Amino acid sequence: MVKKVLMICLGNICRSPIAEVVMVDTLEKAKVKDVEVDSAAIGGWHVGNRADPRAISTLQKHGLKCTHIVRQIRKQDFSDFDFIFGMDEDNMSELRRLAPKDSKAELLMLGDFGLEKKNRIIEDPYYERGAEGFETAYQQCVVACAAFMKERLQK
C-alpha cells in the first residue's frame, strides 16, 4: 500500500521543498518503495513559483535537484496524505487549525525524528543573508528524514 508524505512550511520555498527532496533521496537510497512525497505552503504568497534559489543551490551542492512548483495546502490533503509534517511550532499550530475533523493524516513535526530536542525546530532561513541557514535546514532534514523512514516506513 502506498504511503503519502507531505512536507509543509510557511511559503513552500525553503524548508519544505528541501525536506521533500531529501525524503525522496533518503527513500531511494534505502530502496524503500511505495512512498509518495510532496510539499506545500501554509500561505499562498509564492504559489506557482519555484523554490528559493538558495534552497535550490543548497540541494545542488549535495547532488540533488529540486523541480517543485509551490502550492498551498488544501483541505483534501488531510485525507489524501498519511503523514503531514510541519517544520516548527507555528506550522504545527496552523496545521492543527486547518485539519478537518475527519482528517486521516497524522500531523507530525519533522524535527521530532532523530534530532535533539534543542535542535528539533527547523528554522526558516528565508530572511537570513546567504545560504548558511539553508545548509542547516538541509542537514536537519537529512537526519530527520532518515530517522522517520527507519521508524515508520521501513518494514
Side-chain angles (χ1 to χ4, degrees), residues 42-82:
I42 297 285
W45 313 280
H46 303 290
V47 170
N49 295 332
R50 299 220 30 228
D52 186 293
R54 295 169 293 174
I56 293 169
S57 66
T58 297
L59 289 165
Q60 285 174 337
K61 184 175 100 178
H62 295 282
L64 302 173
K65 186 175 183 181
C66 179
T67 59
H68 180 76
I69 301 298
V70 175
R71 74 173 184 87
Q72 190 171 11
I73 192 167
R74 308 177 282 262
K75 184 178 179 182
Q76 186 66 36
D77 290 331
F78 290 93
S79 57
D80 288 348
F81 286 86
D82 300 289

Side-chain angles (χ1 to χ4, degrees), residues 139-155:
Q139 294 298 336
Q140 288 175 297
C141 288
V142 167
V143 172
C145 288
F148 172 75
M149 178 193 69
K150 286 177 187 160
E151 189 176 318
R152 303 296 281 288
L153 297 176
Q154 283 185 318
K155 310 233 179 340

Side-chain angles (χ1 to χ4, degrees), residues 53-147:
R54 295 169 293 174
I56 293 169
S57 66
T58 297
L59 289 165
Q60 285 174 337
K61 184 175 100 178
H62 295 282
L64 302 173
K65 186 175 183 181
C66 179
T67 59
H68 180 76
I69 301 298
V70 175
R71 74 173 184 87
Q72 190 171 11
I73 192 167
R74 308 177 282 262
K75 184 178 179 182
Q76 186 66 36
D77 290 331
F78 290 93
S79 57
D80 288 348
F81 286 86
D82 300 289
F83 307 101
I84 298 179
F85 286 98
M87 302 295 141
D88 60 34
E89 295 291 358
D90 290 337
N91 295 162
M92 295 307 300
S93 176
E94 192 63 14
L95 287 169
R96 287 188 286 273
R97 186 186 73 74
L98 292 169
K101 295 231 183 287
D102 61 349
S103 172
K104 91 165 187 177
E106 190 174 351
L107 304 180
L108 302 164
M109 187 146 62
L110 185 59
D112 282 338
F113 293 87
L115 297 174
E116 293 178 27
K117 194 164 186 82
K118 66 181 169 110
N119 292 324
R120 69 191 265 276
I121 302 298
I122 300 174
E123 300 287 348
D124 191 347
Y126 182 73
Y127 293 104
E128 295 178 20
R129 289 182 165 218
E132 186 177 317
F134 289 83
E135 180 64 26
T136 299
Y138 169 82
Q139 294 298 336
Q140 288 175 297
C141 288
V142 167
V143 172
C145 288

Side-chain angles (χ1 to χ4, degrees), residues 6-52:
L6 182 63
M7 302 296 186
I8 297 290
C9 70
L10 190 59
N12 193 213
I13 61 170
C14 298
R15 299 168 291 170
S16 59
I18 289 173
E20 175 189 355
V21 171
V22 168
M23 182 64 84
V24 168
D25 184 59
T26 301
L27 295 167
E28 285 175 356
K29 285 178 178 169
K31 296 181 179 18
V32 174
K33 305 246 187 265
D34 297 328
V35 180
E36 294 177 14
V37 186
D38 194 6
S39 64
I42 297 285
W45 313 280
H46 303 290
V47 170
N49 295 332
R50 299 220 30 228
D52 186 293

